[in-house]
Amino acid sequence: MSVPAIRVSDLHKTYGKTTALSGLDFEIPAGQVTGFLGPNGAGKTTSFRSLLGLTRADSGEMEILGIPSPGGLREITKRVGVIIEEPGLIRALTGRVNLLVAADTLGFGHERIPELLEFVGLTADANRRVSEYSKGMRQRLALAAAMIGDPDLLILDEPLDGLDPAGQHVFKARLRGLAEEGKTVVVSSHNLSDIEALADYVVVIDRGRLVTQGPLSSMLDGGGTRVEVVEIDQAVAALSSAGLEVTRADDHLRVATEDGSAIVRVLAGAGIYPSVVRPARSSLEQVFLGMTGNDS
Ligand SMILES: Nc1ncnc2c1ncn2[C@@H]1O[C@H](COP(=O)(O)OP(=O)(O)OP(=O)(O)O)[C@@H](O)[C@H]1O
Ligand SMILES: [Mg+2]
């Protein structure tokens, strides 16, 4: 594997008596979109702030693009674009002037500004003051500002927050396009479905620790259909002899097909009437719902 875009090892951070990170480990692969998932208070923002030297971790090791952080932050900041919490936009200035200021502050030229305004769909609004922008427009302008130095890595804390469904769709497509150009994009969210529709790779944290990480595809395995039935043995026999693959769990069956009506047909043919037939959850969804206390 090439050098990971981000590597974090045994990271600890407390704020007074509050433990935000408690031995956090994770790795984010380069050239993909990674979803950094966790419920409110899991430590996502604190992880990003620690990585970028915006707060000081108590202990642990961090690398960004193979460069140690915070030691190498001067070099790192030239290659990383960031949106963390309220993006640092100047509301009294227009969108275009905000990008000019961002470029000057970071020591980059102005030549990419028209292209970036186009990329985030703000060309027509570029000469309006940011104070007149909607939240979604401010998010898109913040993305343009984060991209001003053509960074290899984008770190975006909850970038989809406050966008309407159409805005989210466009934003996700933009981020996917960046990964297809070979950039690395890291997006935090407390919303599983945002990440399922966007990411190639997922890191899930909770209470300042890693819960699971890996390719999204591997976490979506294990679908199929969940069947709850009283006559478990007879149901297994009927479904198996109909050529369906059945796995027994404690109090239910998992059948390796998404075709619920086929299952019902087979069971009814054997005089068995299931109380529940529904799509089984992905393993990622199970992990996430278990963590957020919504495991129903
Ligand atoms: N500046 C701070 N002072 C004190 N405690 C803090 C501070 N920032 C974060 N915390 C605490 O650290 C923990 C992790 O917070 P963090 O903001 O990193 O979570 P998060 O995963 O980003 O959550 P959210 O989804 O709500 O944005 C929480 O318990 C929070 O209360
Ligand atoms: Mg946060």
Side-chain angles (χ1 to χ4, degrees):
M1 186 170 145
S2 56
V3 179
I6 298 179
R7 194 195 328 246
V8 165
S9 169
D10 201 23
L11 196 64
H12 289 260
K13 169 72 186 174
T14 51
Y15 293 101
K17 286 185 185 150
T18 308
T19 301
L21 304 178
S22 155
L24 179 64
D25 301 296
F26 65 88
E27 271 187 20
I28 288 180
Q32 302 188 0
V33 180
T34 290
F36 193 60
L37 260 176
N40 292 137
K44 302 179 297 293
T45 301
T46 303
S47 301
F48 288 167
R49 292 177 60 84
S50 305
L51 270 162
L52 296 162
L54 301 172
T55 189
R56 185 197 273 271
D58 302 333
S59 64
E61 285 175 25
M62 296 175 279
E63 272 179 26
I64 302 180
L65 303 169
I67 306 164
S69 180
L73 272 170
R74 277 173 68 94
E75 195 180 335
I76 289 167
T77 44
K78 289 184 207 142
R79 296 177 53 197
V80 179
V82 179
I83 308 179
I84 294 188
E85 284 165 354
E86 265 298 285
L89 300 170
I90 306 165
R91 298 174 69 99
L93 302 180
T94 66
R96 188 190 311 280
V97 174
N98 264 276
L99 294 183
L100 291 170
V101 170
D104 290 349
T105 309
L106 297 165
F108 294 113
H110 297 169
E111 56 283 350
R112 296 188 73 229
I113 291 177
E115 173 198 329
L116 284 173
L117 284 166
E118 196 61 38
F119 180 74
V120 298
L122 283 177
T123 304
D125 296 298
N127 296 325
R128 292 175 66 194
R129 283 170 204 264
V130 170
S131 56
E132 297 171 12
Y133 278 15
S134 71
K135 178 159 184 182
M137 291 163 76
R138 289 200 300 275
Q139 287 287 62
R140 285 187 277 146
L141 184 63
L143 177 64
M147 288 175 56
I148 202 100
D150 197 17
D152 299 319
L153 168 63
L154 277 171
I155 297 180
L156 310 176
D157 196 16
E158 311 265 2
L160 301 168
D161 235 32
L163 297 187
D164 63 21
Q168 290 204 2
H169 185 77
V170 172
F171 210 91
K172 285 178 189 172
R174 295 279 183 272
L175 297 180
R176 290 244 36 102
L178 291 171
E180 265 133 49
E181 287 171 22
K183 311 274 188 201
T184 305
V185 180
V186 185
V187 176
S188 77
S189 178
H190 53 260
N191 185 335
L192 178 63
S193 52
D194 279 351
I195 295 302
E196 278 185 332
L198 175 65
D200 307 297
Y201 193 88
V202 185
V203 174
V204 184
I205 71 167
D206 188 24
R207 292 175 219 180
R209 299 183 72 98
L210 178 68
V211 176
T212 184
Q213 65 180 341
L216 178 71
S217 56
S218 73
M219 298 193 193
L220 297 179
D221 288 342
T225 303
R226 179 186 172 108
V227 177
E228 294 177 26
V229 66
V230 178
E231 307 89 338
I232 287 202
D233 293 329
Q234 293 96 310
V236 171
L239 291 164
S240 303
S241 61
L244 292 165
E245 195 185 309
V246 189
T247 321
R248 290 180 82 129
D250 290 346
D251 59 345
H252 67 274
L253 302 175
R254 189 176 276 226
V255 186
T257 174
E258 266 78 59
D259 185 355
S261 64
I263 295 170
V264 172
R265 219 166 23 246
V266 170
L267 291 177
I272 301 166
Y273 297 92
S275 54
V276 173
V277 178
R278 65 163 166 80
R281 288 191 174 120
S282 69
S283 51
L284 181 59
E285 195 175 1
Q286 280 169 347
V287 165
F288 201 70
L289 291 177
M291 252 168 31
T292 48
N294 290 322
D295 197 2
S296 56

